[in-house]
Amino acid sequence: MKFKANLAWIDGAWASNVFLESDAQGFWTHIQANATDAESQGALALGCVIPGLVNAHSHAFQRAIAGLTEHSERSGDDFWSWRDRMYRVALRVSPDHLESIATWLYSEMLRSGYTHVCEFHYLHRNPDGQNYADAAEMTWALVRAASKVGIGLTMLPTLYMNQGFGQPGLSSMQRRFASTPESILDIQQSVIQHANANGKQAFLTSGVAIHSLRAVAQAEILNLTSSSGSKPIHIHVAEQTKELADCIAHTGLRPVEWLLAHAKMDARWNLVHATHTTAAEIEGIQSQQAAVVICPTTEANLGDGFFDLPEALLQSMRWSIGTDSHVNRNWTEELRLLEYGCRLSLRKRNVSLLHQNGLGSTGQVLFENALEGGTQAAGLPLAGIALGQRADLVEINLESDALLGVPSERLIDALIFSTPSTSFDNVYVAGKKVEHRMTQWRTDFLKTMAEL
């Protein structure tokens, strides 16, 4: 496919009259700025384009409770009481329900400028806690949903074995999450084989996930991660203060300290949340080439706390963003809240520039870091408009309220910090325009919501 963009975001800056060409597999093979009409003959004309971002952390089924947990029936509402309400919905979701929820959710992500999603998936068994005839039945519902809407997908079948530190086995509310290292590896291989057999390697892959240190013991963590190959590994860690206290009481170490000492981390690893980390732990994460997935709107919704972004930027630690529970489905809001949370805490402006003496573009720093970290989270070449990367493009509507009259050199800043959120005209994944069948997907989603 050939494109000619008036403006394109390449290597952290705007370039004009950019000729782009992708191969049959959907990866960039030619990029030329200041191209003439003759040099870009036959190309599809586009306006202002940026690369799509990776949504590095998703629990698709939780889209069904977005906005429905803000009414409390007791005092002292926190993450753990929210979790009980989430479990009640998890026990009712069928494969058909999950497919319709994920289809609508993934279409929302595409319309918001995400072109790939990492699905942290632990809803494996049927409502009675028994395996489906195909143990990957719920996984295939997500794969079908992503294929229908055209978004890229990294499946992360998730190991979940214990209900807490020193509490082996799962509670009745967690019965659908039951899994073993072997069952997770089987699902991973099934997804990879499916992608290979159907020529979907550019769109679909699978890593593995560990739900958390409280949910999986050391032996099983090492068993899984030593057998999962070169694909991504994700884990929830250090999200709530109670988790820190419980981990210290059980192991003598903070959660990230434990991973640094025992998990043999490398560039496959992505630590989801890592909200409560010290400067020394961030240094350790960076030194082991691991990354962090920050989910600002979910962490705010659950009252988790603020991630230490200035320290992460100072130490050049890689990070990405995710929408997690999907109370928000827009990456501009995730990045804006990430910066604003730090501003409120530190009472300073442009906190994302502190590591470079307060100079530059805050929007550029946030966008470029999220872009680079996303490719590590996904395990696919998704690091922007560059040779060999997947040909993902998002066309920006420059006539939208947020961008009207904004000079080109400030567009990334305005895209993130000027609201209402900017609309995108067209989205391309692996060189192909994404088409939406919104009426049917909306009908299916409404039916599922009524049934749940």
Side-chain angles (χ1 to χ4, degrees):
M1 191 68 184
K2 297 179 180 180
F3 305 93
K4 174 73 173 295
N6 293 337
L7 282 175
W9 185 259
I10 301 173
D11 294 330
W14 291 109
S16 300
N17 299 315
V18 180
F19 175 57
L20 305 162
E21 187 171 7
S22 62
D23 61 18
Q25 287 71 46
F27 298 94
W28 294 124
T29 57
H30 185 80
I31 300 169
Q32 180 183 346
N34 302 312
T36 66
D37 290 342
E39 290 170 327
S40 54
Q41 189 173 10
L44 177 66
L46 299 175
C48 177
V49 298
I50 58 174
L53 279 187
V54 172
N55 185 339
H57 190 62
S58 166
H59 303 299
F61 78 93
Q62 292 181 20
R63 173 64 179 86
I65 61 171
L68 302 181
T69 62
E70 310 310 313
H71 175 81
S72 181
E73 298 173 354
R74 70 170 206 184
S75 62
D77 196 15
D78 59 12
F79 169 86
W80 307 98
S81 54
W82 171 89
R83 188 181 72 163
D84 289 341
R85 281 173 277 176
M86 179 269 288
Y87 283 172
R88 291 197 289 271
V89 173
L91 288 174
R92 299 199 296 271
V93 175
S94 70
D96 286 345
H97 289 150
L98 183 59
E99 184 173 345
S100 69
I101 294 167
T103 299
W104 183 253
L105 169 65
Y106 294 164
S107 73
E108 289 182 292
M109 290 182 189
L110 281 167
R111 284 179 278 133
S112 297
Y114 290 112
T115 53
H116 195 93
V117 58
C118 300
E119 188 62 47
F120 196 109
H121 173 59
Y122 52 81
L123 199 57
H124 301 302
R125 299 190 175 215
N126 71 21
D128 294 327
Q130 303 301 311
N131 273 324
Y132 288 99
D134 181 346
E137 180 68 27
M138 295 292 275
T139 298
W140 298 130
L142 295 161
V143 171
R144 289 192 298 270
S147 180
K148 275 193 288 189
V149 304
I151 198 169
L153 174 67
T154 297
M155 278 303 308
L156 297 166
T158 302
L159 183 60
Y160 207 136
M161 302 182 73
N162 304 320
Q163 57 187 300
F165 289 105
Q167 297 176 283
L170 299 176
S171 71
S172 62
M173 295 288 282
Q174 298 169 320
R175 59 185 180 269
R176 298 192 71 177
F177 312 157
S179 49
T180 65
E182 292 73 24
S183 70
I184 295 304
L185 292 169
D186 285 346
I187 294 173
Q188 181 196 23
Q189 289 306 308
S190 294
V191 172
I192 292 172
Q193 290 167 8
H194 173 84
N196 292 340
N198 292 278
K200 295 287 187 179
Q201 299 95 322
F203 294 88
L204 176 65
T205 190
S206 181
V208 297
I210 301 138
H211 182 270
S212 55
L213 294 181
R214 66 178 183 271
V216 184
Q218 179 178 353
E220 284 74 23
I221 290 174
L222 297 179
N223 182 1
L224 178 67
T225 57
S226 65
S227 304
S228 59
S230 61
K231 300 299 184 180
I233 298 167
H234 288 227
I235 182 172
H236 292 134
V237 67
E239 181 179 1
Q240 306 88 26
T241 53
K242 181 180 184 300
E243 178 190 352
L244 261 71
D246 289 349
C247 188
I248 292 169
H250 186 71
T251 70
L253 296 172
R254 295 162 55 88
V256 173
E257 284 181 325
W258 190 95
L259 288 172
L260 292 170
H262 298 291
K264 302 178 181 178
M265 292 195 298
D266 53 32
R268 297 174 299 164
W269 283 75
N270 296 269
L271 312 187
V272 181
H273 303 302
T275 308
H276 303 284
T277 53
T278 65
E281 289 167 347
I282 289 173
E283 181 181 12
I285 293 168
Q286 193 278 335
S287 69
Q288 295 192 12
Q289 300 181 22
V292 166
V293 182
I294 313 167
C295 306
T297 58
T298 290
E299 289 152 7
N301 185 270
L302 298 177
D304 292 338
F306 290 135
F307 175 77
D308 191 351
L309 179 65
E311 186 66 33
L313 291 171
L314 181 64
Q315 300 204 34
S316 300
M317 190 203 73
R318 187 170 290 187
W319 57 268
S320 57
I321 57 166
T323 60
D324 194 354
S325 66
H326 311 301
V327 290
N328 161 62
R329 280 84 66 191
N330 191 312
W331 63 259
T332 59
E333 293 186 28
E334 297 294 343
L335 292 179
R336 182 166 61 249
L337 182 57
L338 179 59
E339 167 72 18
Y340 280 179
C342 293
R343 292 187 189 189
L344 289 166
S345 178
L346 298 175
R347 299 185 295 282
K348 295 181 180 180
R349 296 197 73 249
N350 292 314
V351 172
S352 296
L353 301 178
L354 293 179
H355 68 295
Q356 51 193 44
N357 297 318
L359 304 176
S361 162
T362 296
Q364 177 182 344
V365 168
L366 292 168
F367 186 75
E368 285 294 301
N369 274 271
L371 190 64
E372 183 181 8
T375 196
Q376 175 160 333
L380 287 171
L382 301 169
I385 302 173
L387 295 178
Q389 303 301 298
R390 197 172 73 194
D392 292 4
L393 291 176
V394 177
E395 188 175 17
I396 299 171
N397 180 2
L398 295 180
E399 295 300 310
S400 63
D401 291 345
L403 299 183
L404 198 61
V406 173
S408 60
E409 64 270 20
R410 296 290 177 264
L411 283 174
I412 292 293
D413 288 326
L415 193 62
I416 296 170
F417 293 104
S418 178
T419 58
S421 297
T422 303
S423 61
F424 299 113
D425 286 335
N426 295 294
V427 179
Y428 297 82
V429 179
K432 297 179 180 178
K433 185 178 179 180
V434 175
E435 304 289 350
H436 295 291
R437 299 192 300 276
M438 303 304 299
T439 301
Q440 184 59 54
W441 298 342
R442 182 177 185 274
T443 300
D444 293 342
F445 179 71
L446 287 172
K447 180 175 181 289
T448 290
M449 290 294 288
E451 292 173 353
L452 292 177

